[in-house]
Amino acid sequence: MIVLKFGGTSVANAQNIQLAINIVTEKSKKEKLAVVVSALSGVTDMLLIASQKAASKDENYKNNIEEIKQKHFDTISLLIDSNNQNQLLIKINSQINQLQTLLDGCFLLGELSPRTSDAIASFGELLSSQIIATSLQQTIPNSNFKDSRELIKTNSNFGKAAVNFDVTNTLIADYFISNKSQVVILPGFIASSKDENTTTLGRGGSDYTAAIIANGVNADSLEIWTDVNGMFTANPKIVKQAQPIESISYQEAMELSHFGAKVLYPPTIQPVLNSNIPIWIKNTFEPEAYGTLISNNPVTNANPIKGISHIDNIALLTVEGSGMIGVAGSSKRLFEVLSQENINVIFITQASSEHSICIGIQNQDAERARKAINKTFELEITQNKIDNCIVEKDLCIVALVGENMKNHQGLSGKMFSTLGKNNVNIRAIAQGASERNISVVINEKDVKKALNTLHERFFEDNTKQLNLFVMGVGNVGEKFIDQIHQQKKFLKENMKMNVRVIAMSNSRKMVFDEDGLSLKDWKSLLDNGETATISEFISKAKELNLRNSIFVDITANGDIASIYDQFLKQNIAVVTCNKIACSSQYDNYKYLKSLSRKYNAPFLFETNVGAGLPIIDTLKHLIASGDKVNRINAVLSGSLNFIFNNFSDSYNFHDVVKEAGVQGFTEPDPKIDLSGVDVARKILILIRESGYEMEMEAIENNCFLPQECMETTNNEDFFKSLIKHSNHFENLLSEAKAKDCRIKFVASFDNGKASVGLQFIPKESPFYNLEGKDNIVEFYTDRYIDQPLIIKGAGAGAAVTASGIFADVIRIGNV
């Protein structure tokens, strides 16, 4: 015999019930079946709400009764032939009347006893099972209905009664030995006490009912039919990459179900464990799917972790004080008082010094537990030997589960380091002696990030998901998005990185998608996005709280540069080509660096100097290896190099500046480049990265622009001023020719002093042949004394800048 159980979603409505009946019909051709069914979806909740309303003198409970009645009558009309409906409708209507009598009694008395609550809650399964039994008889005449209350006997602990297995097993065995039906339908969840009062087995108790029946008949297997393809490596509603587990041990399944794997009610396993009856978790809506097999001999694989689970709404209670050290009975008193208050302890950890004990319980029990504990230890608290009980709410327990974890070293370390890298704070840790479970308590707001991060680490072949929040999609930003789109497949297959753009924004619009924006049509998505505000962008990024989040600033906006700290404090990495933050006040520069270290959030700005050239990265390696930078000479403006390389007698200064802007070499405000401010920022960043403290004001800026050009307030007036002062620029060109030199805008640092300005470069200088938009940097260090370390290459342009930003993103992915 096989025992099948169909849960709430499998019997949610007539259409789903028909799918369940089809499964039963097919299986009944080969085996005798006992089929346990839950209430129609939502009905148990409706019954409990109605009882609470009635007990609180709210006459709206009558509306709930009518709704319940109509739901069942509608199901009957769709499932049962008209010839067979009348008798069933009379029976169902009679039971609805009994339900109303109970609720009327609650209303009149203004109270709801546990016994009455169980009686009311039982109607969901009683009604659904009789409807399903009648429907099944239309297909399988040799089938019948059996009330589980006649077979399963319990104590009188209403709400979650304990089964008397000696009596129950005898009743079940005797019934099925004498029963000749091919299929028996039984209501789940309900039982009866020795004095014949209706009891219930706890929410989710239909699974338990099926396991009790399976144990009583020594079934060949127990099948739990639900709406998913078995037990998963994590909750698939939270972790999209979660995978079904094909094979798992009873103990592993028990651990996972205890820690929130809602596909299986935790007590279900115990009745079938000793009898070694395998449990299958199957999907009513995909019956051909393999599902999960729970048995004593699961198939083993290389991964010692079988699943990651969690429990929400946890409160952590801490009892501590010197009065507990070496005092026998402290733990006994603590757990005894919780037992007396009927409070379930989910998690326990104790310091080896015996100075403190931490326990995890449900949030709703926290205040009651705190008062009871403080009362129990009132004397010790008065004597300052023990502190008042400390309560922390809104926490969550996350657990790694696996039978073979004890045979693998370093799993705890991997778990903790993975969470730590994503700034998930661990409040408490527990690991059983069996080493089948490692549990941690974390903030509830971090649970999604934690589960996804751990799943990525243990189940996804070390594929790392990078979640990007991009601000600024102009010339460089567009190239950056295109490069991600082009390289996405390569990165995933060859570097184990899944790069997703979660959000993007320009000055007008912003758009978010937690599952990643489609990069094929990102422009139309952005055009149809919501109005962009910096505060809302930050708020949404924080709210999503995704693992491996990276804020990418591709603007030249000072307001954007001022918000980096808000991302870093949330463990969101920052990648930027915006030079304003790192060239701001030195204290702010150091502050951002310290936040990066404190919150383990990388802060990368390679493109601040030299676009895609590895200038800052090389400098970091020099300093890290113990070298010291003494002098820097550099041409750091690709735009100015382009301008002075192309400025000639036949190509005037105004036109070549315009062309530099068209090609994306200058900032949106070209005066930033031509004034020397941009170069000053760059040399300042290199000086600071070399380990020197310097402010922007300390850099001597020998500006070559006439004062009138500098005083313009918009681009139109600026370009007009360039035409007006064309003679000034032509004189510079003539002077350079006369000296057989080229004009370069050079940044220098030597002996603690820095300057930027035009220089006439002779032919023997390595700067002389610097072409196009190229940059060059010379580092003179303790190791590179006579011959400097030189880095040279394209230092401007949308494509190379985007490549540099992309490279910083990849660096973070490789951390």
Side-chain angles (χ1 to χ4, degrees):
M1 174 176 276
I2 296 175
V3 178
L4 288 73
K5 179 264 177 177
F6 290 92
T9 51
S10 299
V11 295
N13 50 47
Q15 181 181 0
N16 292 4
I17 290 172
Q18 190 57 59
L19 293 175
I21 287 173
N22 293 344
I23 292 168
V24 171
T25 302
E26 192 62 32
K27 285 186 172 290
S28 68
K29 294 175 182 177
K30 300 176 182 178
E31 300 273 358
K32 277 193 169 187
L33 307 177
V35 181
V36 176
V37 297
S38 296
L40 301 186
S41 184
V43 168
T44 302
D45 285 335
M46 291 162 67
L47 287 164
L48 294 175
I49 290 169
S51 63
Q52 290 159 7
K53 285 181 179 179
S56 59
K57 298 287 187 177
D58 181 352
E59 291 194 3
N60 286 319
Y61 76 89
K62 294 177 181 177
N63 296 333
N64 293 106
I65 296 172
E66 193 56 39
E67 188 180 352
I68 292 167
K69 178 179 178 180
Q70 194 59 50
K71 186 178 182 75
H72 289 88
F73 276 26
D74 289 345
T75 303
I76 290 169
S77 68
L78 292 170
L79 279 177
I80 311 299
D81 293 341
S82 55
N83 295 333
N84 299 317
Q85 282 185 17
N86 286 341
Q87 188 175 354
L88 179 60
L89 286 170
I90 292 169
K91 187 185 296 183
I92 296 300
N93 196 54
S94 172
Q95 292 180 345
I96 295 289
N97 289 337
Q98 293 175 32
L99 170 63
Q100 177 150 4
T101 300
L102 286 170
L103 290 168
D104 288 344
C106 292
F107 181 82
L108 291 170
L109 294 171
E111 67 176 23
L112 177 65
S113 69
R115 186 175 76 174
T116 304
S117 180
D118 268 12
I120 292 169
S122 71
F123 279 90
E125 273 72 14
L126 284 171
L127 296 172
S128 68
S129 57
Q130 290 177 89
I131 293 171
I132 293 169
T134 303
S135 178
L136 187 65
Q137 284 169 354
Q138 297 174 148
T139 309
I140 308 174
N142 187 21
S143 61
N144 76 326
F145 166 81
K146 180 65 175 177
D147 191 336
S148 301
R149 293 176 295 185
E150 297 174 14
L151 301 178
I152 302 175
K153 297 301 176 179
T154 70
N155 64 10
S156 295
N157 184 19
F158 298 103
K160 197 171 184 180
V163 177
N164 182 332
F165 279 99
D166 290 337
V167 175
T168 296
N169 287 340
T170 300
L171 290 171
I172 292 171
D174 289 347
Y175 171 76
F176 281 97
I177 288 171
S178 61
N179 177 66
K180 303 303 179 185
S181 300
Q182 189 68 13
V183 180
V184 177
I185 302 293
L186 304 103
F189 178 56
I190 62 173
S192 65
S193 63
K194 63 180 180 181
D195 48 5
E196 301 303 324
N197 286 314
T198 297
T199 58
T200 60
L201 303 175
R203 293 302 298 268
S206 291
D207 287 353
Y208 193 29
T209 302
I212 294 166
I213 299 295
N215 180 56
V217 298
N218 195 24
D220 295 320
S221 66
L222 166 61
E223 297 180 3
I224 307 292
W225 290 82
T226 181
D227 57 357
V228 291
N229 292 336
M231 299 188 84
F232 277 68
T233 49
N235 185 339
K237 293 179 180 177
I238 298 176
V239 181
K240 299 291 176 63
Q241 291 79 23
Q243 310 147 14
I245 304 169
E246 289 192 356
S247 181
I248 192 170
S249 73
Y250 291 118
Q251 290 78 11
E252 289 169 329
M254 206 177 301
E255 292 276 5
L256 283 175
S257 61
H258 172 71
F259 280 93
K262 295 180 176 59
V263 72
L264 189 66
Y265 182 55
T268 302
I269 296 166
Q270 197 58 52
V272 298
L273 174 61
N274 295 333
S275 302
N276 198 21
I277 298 170
I279 305 173
W280 283 94
I281 311 294
K282 301 282 284 182
N283 189 345
T284 304
F285 309 98
E286 290 184 48
E288 70 284 353
Y290 185 81
T292 297
L293 173 61
I294 304 170
S295 69
N296 258 336
N297 300 299
V299 176
T300 57
N301 55 42
N303 191 348
I305 308 296
K306 278 294 177 72
I308 307 166
S309 201
H310 73 288
I311 307 176
D312 291 323
N313 302 314
I314 293 297
L316 195 64
L317 274 62
T318 303
V319 180
E320 62 182 7
S322 58
M324 297 177 63
I325 300 174
V327 178
S330 296
S331 298
K332 174 183 179 294
R333 290 168 65 195
L334 173 62
F335 294 114
E336 190 172 62
V337 69
L338 293 173
S339 175
Q340 290 167 357
E341 292 290 328
N342 200 27
I343 294 172
N344 182 39
V345 176
I346 302 167
F347 175 100
I348 305 168
T349 184
Q350 181 173 11
S352 58
S353 66
E354 301 181 49
H355 182 264
S356 67
I357 300 176
C358 287
I359 56 171
I361 63 174
Q362 290 292 330
N363 267 338
Q364 64 264 26
D365 296 329
E367 190 56 28
R368 188 157 49 93
R370 185 188 66 81
K371 289 179 179 178
I373 292 169
N374 284 344
K375 186 175 181 181
T376 297
F377 291 97
E378 186 174 11
L379 178 60
E380 289 87 347
I381 292 171
T382 304
Q383 296 173 343
N384 293 321
K385 292 181 177 179
I386 294 179
D387 298 333
N388 278 298
C389 178
I390 301 169
V391 177
E392 298 171 77
K393 290 187 176 181
D394 301 321
L395 301 173
C396 173
I397 299 174
V398 173
L400 291 186
V401 173
E403 189 72 37
N404 292 320
M405 285 167 55
K406 59 191 173 190
N407 299 321
H408 289 75
Q409 294 180 338
L411 292 178
S412 299
K414 288 179 183 177
M415 181 185 193
F416 302 150
S417 65
T418 300
L419 293 175
K421 283 178 181 178
N422 278 273
N423 205 37
V424 176
N425 186 38
I426 297 173
R427 292 293 303 111
I429 302 166
Q431 182 171 10
S434 68
E435 297 185 50
R436 192 182 293 127
N437 174 315
I438 305 172
S439 304
V440 295
V441 179
I442 64 172
N443 287 323
E444 203 161 66
K445 66 180 180 63
D446 290 327
V447 65
K448 184 174 183 180
K449 181 195 284 189
L451 290 175
N452 278 278
T453 300
L454 291 172
H455 195 274
E456 181 179 84
R457 179 67 182 84
F458 290 105
F459 289 103
E460 296 174 37
D461 195 23
N462 280 337
T463 297
K464 193 171 189 177
Q465 187 178 98
L466 304 180
N467 297 300
L468 274 51
F469 297 80
V470 181
M471 190 169 278
V473 284
N475 289 338
V476 177
E478 183 174 344
K479 294 289 185 183
F480 175 68
I481 299 296
D482 289 345
Q483 288 175 12
I484 291 175
H485 190 203
Q486 176 187 327
Q487 289 297 104
K488 188 174 178 67
K489 184 178 179 182
F490 172 86
L491 291 173
K492 197 166 187 178
E493 292 178 354
N494 294 277
M495 300 187 71
K496 302 300 182 185
M497 288 184 202
N498 180 19
V499 180
R500 307 188 310 166
V501 177
I502 303 299
M504 60 176 69
S505 175
N506 56 25
S507 59
R508 297 172 292 102
K509 297 282 188 178
M510 63 182 186
V511 60
F512 283 75
D513 187 335
E514 186 177 351
D515 296 323
L517 294 163
S518 169
L519 301 186
K520 289 182 180 179
D521 56 351
W522 66 266
K523 290 184 180 179
S524 62
L525 290 174
L526 186 57
D527 288 341
N528 292 296
E530 58 187 292
T531 302
T533 67
I534 295 174
S535 60
E536 188 64 18
F537 191 93
I538 296 169
S539 177
K540 289 199 171 186
K542 288 180 180 178
E543 183 183 334
L544 285 172
N545 196 25
L546 299 175
R547 68 195 187 279
N548 306 323
S549 291
I550 305 172
F551 172 63
V552 184
D553 177 15
I554 317 179
T555 74
N557 189 318
D559 291 338
I560 307 301
S562 69
I563 62 171
Y564 295 168
D565 61 327
Q566 297 190 51
F567 289 105
L568 294 171
K569 286 176 182 176
Q570 297 296 317
N571 184 237
I572 298 175
V574 173
V575 168
T576 180
C577 62
N578 186 341
K579 293 173 278 292
I580 294 174
C582 288
S583 60
S584 62
Q585 292 296 309
Y586 183 78
D587 286 346
N588 185 58
Y589 161 80
K590 294 297 288 183
Y591 175 60
L592 294 176
K593 289 273 198 170
S594 67
L595 288 179
S596 173
R597 291 189 296 271
K598 180 178 179 180
Y599 294 99
N600 197 30
F603 174 39
L604 301 182
F605 42 90
E606 182 66 66
T607 49
N608 276 197
V609 182
L613 293 175
I615 296 172
I616 292 176
D617 193 50
T618 302
L619 179 54
K620 284 180 178 178
H621 287 305
L622 284 175
I623 302 303
S625 68
D627 205 353
K628 181 184 177 184
V629 175
N630 301 309
R631 183 156 60 100
I632 304 171
N633 290 323
V635 172
L636 294 173
S637 174
S639 54
L640 285 173
N641 202 45
F642 174 86
I643 289 166
F644 284 110
N645 278 339
N646 288 279
F647 178 33
S648 64
D649 293 334
S650 58
Y651 199 2
N652 67 55
F653 194 75
H654 167 274
D655 290 348
V656 75
V657 174
K658 275 275 190 181
E659 180 61 24
V662 169
Q663 294 198 27
F665 298 152
T666 65
E667 298 285 349
D669 177 3
K671 189 167 62 175
I672 294 174
D673 293 280
L674 274 70
S675 67
V677 171
D678 187 60
V679 174
R681 285 173 176 165
K682 291 176 180 178
I683 191 66
L684 178 62
I685 292 168
L686 292 183
I687 292 167
R688 288 175 172 178
E689 289 294 296
S690 297
Y692 295 92
E693 181 176 342
M694 185 175 282
E695 299 290 359
M696 188 74 167
E697 294 77 18
I699 298 175
E700 182 183 351
N701 186 348
N702 300 307
C703 182
F704 68 90
L705 289 177
Q707 189 63 29
E708 185 178 341
C709 297
M710 290 294 296
E711 290 174 353
T712 57
T713 56
N714 57 66
N715 284 357
E716 184 180 354
D717 290 343
F718 177 71
F719 281 109
K720 286 180 181 178
S721 74
L722 294 184
I723 295 173
K724 181 178 178 180
H725 293 277
S726 58
N727 287 338
H728 169 75
F729 303 112
E730 288 167 4
N731 289 337
L732 289 172
L733 184 61
S734 297
E735 186 178 354
K737 285 183 177 180
K739 294 180 177 180
D740 198 19
C741 292
R742 284 186 168 182
I743 302 172
K744 302 294 178 185
F745 198 88
V746 179
S748 298
F749 170 71
D750 188 11
N751 197 28
K753 294 183 178 180
S755 64
V756 298
L758 284 186
Q759 292 185 17
F760 296 111
I761 304 297
K763 288 184 177 180
E764 59 270 19
S765 169
F767 290 9
Y768 183 86
N769 290 314
L770 202 62
E771 299 296 336
K773 57 185 182 295
D774 284 359
N775 281 189
I776 186 170
V777 180
E778 295 179 333
F779 288 117
Y780 290 86
T781 75
D782 286 352
R783 295 171 189 160
Y784 295 89
I785 301 171
D786 299 321
Q787 293 296 323
L789 173 63
I790 297 176
I791 302 169
K792 179 182 176 183
V800 292
T801 304
S803 296
I805 295 167
F806 201 174
D808 273 348
V809 169
I810 299 304
R811 283 188 184 94
I812 292 173
N814 283 325
V815 172

